Amino acid sequence: MVTNTIRSDVQAAEQSQTQAISGILMRSKQWFKRNAYNLHRWISIAALVPALMWSLSGTSHPFMAHWFKPAIAKEFLPPKPIDQSAVQMPLSEALRANGIAEIRQFHLIALNGKTYYQVQTSPTAENIYLDARTGTRMADGDREYAISLAKQYFGNSAANVTETRFMTQFTDEYRYVNRLLPVWKISFAEGGYDIYVETASGRMGTYNTPLRRAFAIVFLYCHNWGFLNAVEPLRLSVVALALGVIILMALSGIVLYAFLWNKRKQRTVTGLRKYHRSLGIAVSVSTLTFASSGMYHALHKERLRDEIGQPNVQAMFKAEELKFGVREAGFVAPPMYDVSAVRISGEAHYRFAHSVSVDAADECCAPMQNTQADKNGKKPQTIKAATYFNANTGKALPSGDSKYARAIAAELTGISTGIITQERLQTEFQGEYGFINKRLPVQRLDLATPDKRTLYVETATGTLAADVQSGDRLEGFTFAYIHKLEFLKPLGKDIRDGVTVGLGLVNSLMAVLGLVLFVRLPKKK
């Protein structure tokens, strides 16, 4: 009897609780019916300015990156052979003669008909240039070499230089997406061109013209909200909040459209309201996808790491370790394009970049380009290669590039080389390793980790070009295919960019129509 009484009380309590929940849901539904329209109006007003900023600035990107991209003579410079016979004074003697006891790196470069040791003493200081015959230091050498490179990219050896600036940090005009630092900014009077070059590798980071700079500033401040860059946590918080409001705006519009379906059957909607509803439901999916993928991209932690730059090894070499001279310059047969210092297992080595016939390549000459046949079935007769020699003994180091890539990965990430499951050379930008990473060729190292981590290492500069994990792949895919509409690229860049601009303009038009309706139409009671 007592048990039945208790059971009845419990059932009554449960029934009462169920009724209470049902009542809350019913009241909530009724409240939503009464206020859905006004909620959508006020959410849309809150989203208006951010939506216009993002949609209109998004349309500027195709103009900046594709349609109005200014011409330049060369975006890449083929490597030039070094005159190995010009290397007469050993590097160690040239360094001592100039009072340099320790360096971070050296290269051989050709400038004004002479061969120089290009010496780096600090990652944030200008390079020093020492004549490879006499050891004489060239005054203002790094600036002169930067101007020489910039003129080659520009395609005008007589161009008038209006400004030169050595840069060790990214700026609003030279942003982190360009990756390379330090660089020289070389400005020319002709066309107002600014060309950014990295003298250590001879590469161009990017180039700008007044029109391209204007597009870039619009994109930076209106799309990336660069006006808040000084306080990055605040910028990310504001961006996330604004994108969240835009997502709510699109969702509330969709719900409102579906919720009022029966009412639309009973009366015809005309005028601006009709166009706003039709246009809104038509583009709501694009609004949601752009906003959600943009939020994912903005808040992705690995993207924040990218803004710091690409890390590289910080090995230092005492002058007496580097006896590079006539003998060492002859370690490889011509043509030789470069030489640099590397440290492997604590010992100094020379890394030579040179060409070798495909048939002569062996484990000491690591290929630095694809040896497979091209699309026409033609195989290369000679390939670029990297060969390593011990700086003390002159003995070649077997599999030197592989060993150095692994050493770089271990030093910069702290991984154990024992978890590397696969290593292969990558000679083109594709898949998860895109053009934004700037560096080729690289060694790809796949790791046996739960997040399927992959490291991309440029041995020519000792740089970790990319560190990709499962989360990065997902974010990269959503940003490329949902935000940048890369799935349309097979149809051509013009079609992809045209669709991007069209969607941006239609979303802007929808926002403006919403504003007009907000002003003209009364608030629903």
Side-chain angles (χ1 to χ4, degrees):
M1 183 67 114
V2 174
T3 302
N4 291 336
T5 301
I6 294 174
R7 185 180 295 118
S8 297
D9 291 342
V10 170
Q11 289 175 347
E14 290 177 348
Q15 185 176 7
S16 176
Q17 185 178 15
T18 301
Q19 291 174 346
I21 293 174
S22 299
I24 293 172
L25 292 176
M26 181 63 68
R27 288 191 295 274
S28 298
K29 185 177 181 180
Q30 292 172 347
W31 182 90
F32 180 76
K33 283 182 178 181
R34 292 193 303 269
N35 297 281
Y37 176 76
N38 291 328
L39 279 173
H40 178 68
R41 293 182 80 211
W42 287 107
I43 291 173
S44 299
I45 284 300
L48 177 65
V49 172
L52 284 174
M53 287 176 64
W54 273 314
S55 56
L56 290 175
S57 61
T59 64
S60 73
H61 192 271
F63 292 94
M64 173 179 62
H66 182 200
W67 289 333
F68 288 177
K69 185 178 181 179
I72 194 167
K74 297 177 181 178
E75 293 198 19
F76 302 95
L77 293 179
K80 294 181 179 179
I82 297 296
D83 181 5
Q84 290 161 259
S85 66
V87 180
Q88 296 295 320
M89 176 176 283
L91 175 59
S92 56
E93 292 184 19
L95 292 174
R96 281 197 295 268
N98 287 274
I100 302 172
E102 192 175 45
I103 70 171
R104 183 175 177 271
Q105 187 55 275
F106 86 96
H107 297 279
L108 282 175
I109 63 103
L111 178 61
N112 299 331
K114 292 184 177 182
T115 299
Y116 290 90
Y117 292 117
Q118 181 197 68
V119 176
Q120 184 187 67
T121 57
S122 166
T124 57
E126 296 178 25
N127 294 319
I128 297 168
Y129 292 73
L130 308 177
D131 192 310
R133 289 186 183 273
T134 65
T136 304
R137 180 170 178 169
M138 179 183 183
D140 213 10
D142 209 39
R143 175 180 176 274
E144 291 301 316
Y145 187 47
I147 292 173
S148 173
L149 290 171
K151 287 183 174 181
Q152 292 178 63
Y153 284 112
F154 193 39
N156 183 357
S157 59
N160 295 300
V161 177
T162 59
E163 180 191 1
T164 61
R165 184 170 15 131
F166 184 66
M167 300 173 57
T168 59
Q169 293 182 329
F170 296 115
T171 66
D172 286 350
E173 290 187 4
Y174 184 74
R175 302 195 61 225
Y176 73 92
V177 294
N178 296 301
R179 296 298 195 263
L180 306 179
L181 276 181
V183 295
W184 279 89
K185 175 187 176 182
I186 309 297
S187 301
F188 294 111
E190 292 81 357
Y193 273 72
D194 294 332
I195 299 179
Y196 299 83
V197 293
E198 181 188 54
T199 53
S201 65
R203 282 183 285 220
M204 178 174 66
T206 190
Y207 65 96
N208 286 324
T209 61
L211 180 60
R212 201 177 190 207
R213 282 194 294 273
F215 276 127
I217 291 298
V218 168
F219 194 80
L220 171 64
Y221 284 94
C222 295
H223 209 81
N224 295 330
W225 292 28
F227 54 87
L228 295 174
N229 277 349
V231 189
E232 182 65 5
L234 174 63
R235 186 185 76 88
L236 290 177
S237 299
V238 173
V239 165
L241 178 61
L243 287 169
V245 172
I246 290 175
I247 291 171
L248 283 176
M249 175 193 69
L251 288 175
S252 64
I254 293 172
V255 171
L256 191 62
Y257 186 88
F259 183 74
L260 296 178
W261 178 258
N262 292 330
K263 288 188 177 182
R264 286 200 310 277
K265 287 183 177 180
Q266 298 172 12
R267 64 184 178 87
T268 302
V269 178
T270 60
L272 290 179
R273 180 178 286 184
K274 175 183 177 181
Y275 292 119
H276 179 69
R277 287 185 181 180
S278 301
L279 189 63
I281 202 65
V283 301
S284 58
V285 173
S286 70
T287 305
L288 283 173
T289 55
F290 281 139
S292 57
S293 59
M295 179 184 288
Y296 187 18
H297 178 68
L299 299 181
H300 185 57
K301 64 179 181 179
E302 302 307 330
R303 186 196 66 79
L304 302 181
R305 182 192 60 202
D306 288 344
E307 296 192 22
I308 301 173
Q310 297 166 309
N312 52 36
V313 293
Q314 301 293 319
M316 297 297 291
F317 301 88
K318 295 187 180 300
E320 55 268 24
E321 287 185 277
L322 304 175
K323 301 182 176 68
F324 187 88
V326 178
R327 170 176 170 268
E328 288 74 18
F331 280 172
V332 298
M336 180 184 81
Y337 302 106
D338 192 18
V339 62
S340 56
V342 304
R343 194 174 294 283
I344 304 175
S345 300
E347 294 189 275
H349 290 76
Y350 301 123
R351 181 190 188 277
F352 287 84
H354 60 111
S355 287
V356 64
S357 68
V358 175
D359 296 335
D362 55 28
E363 64 175 0
C364 289
C365 301
M368 289 288 106
Q369 73 177 66
N370 189 2
T371 60
Q372 303 300 313
D374 60 20
K375 60 182 179 180
N376 297 317
K378 186 177 180 180
K379 288 188 175 183
Q381 299 299 309
T382 61
I383 59 171
K384 293 182 178 63
T387 306
Y388 293 72
F389 293 89
N390 187 291
N392 184 42
T393 65
K395 183 178 179 181
L397 178 67
S399 304
D401 209 63
S402 175
K403 291 176 180 176
Y404 187 45
R406 290 167 177 255
I408 294 169
E411 179 177 339
L412 296 180
T413 67
I415 66 161
S416 166
T417 56
I419 66 172
I420 297 174
T421 59
Q422 187 178 16
E423 178 181 352
R424 61 183 182 274
L425 180 70
Q426 182 149 339
T427 59
E428 59 184 30
F429 297 113
Q430 60 181 8
E432 66 187 29
Y433 189 77
F435 178 75
I436 195 173
N437 295 294
K438 294 291 184 182
R439 302 176 185 275
L440 282 178
V442 291
Q443 295 287 355
R444 171 176 172 159
L445 308 178
D446 294 325
L447 310 183
T449 59
D451 54 10
K452 298 181 180 179
R453 191 177 181 183
T454 299
L455 307 177
Y456 294 87
V457 177
E458 185 184 51
T459 53
T461 60
T463 300
L464 180 62
D467 183 348
V468 183
Q469 302 173 23
S470 297
D472 304 323
R473 294 184 180 95
L474 178 60
E475 186 277 328
F477 177 85
T478 57
F479 190 68
Y481 285 88
I482 297 178
H483 200 84
K484 298 174 68 176
L485 307 184
E486 286 294 303
F487 64 91
L488 295 175
K489 196 171 181 179
L491 301 177
K493 286 185 177 180
D494 286 331
I495 292 179
R496 179 201 63 187
D497 291 346
V499 172
T500 299
V501 170
L503 289 173
L505 292 177
V506 171
N507 273 276
S508 301
L509 177 60
M510 182 183 68
V512 172
L513 286 177
L515 176 62
V516 173
L517 287 172
F518 183 88
V519 174
R520 289 178 54 179
L521 296 180
K523 176 182 176 182
K524 285 197 173 182
K525 303 291 185 180

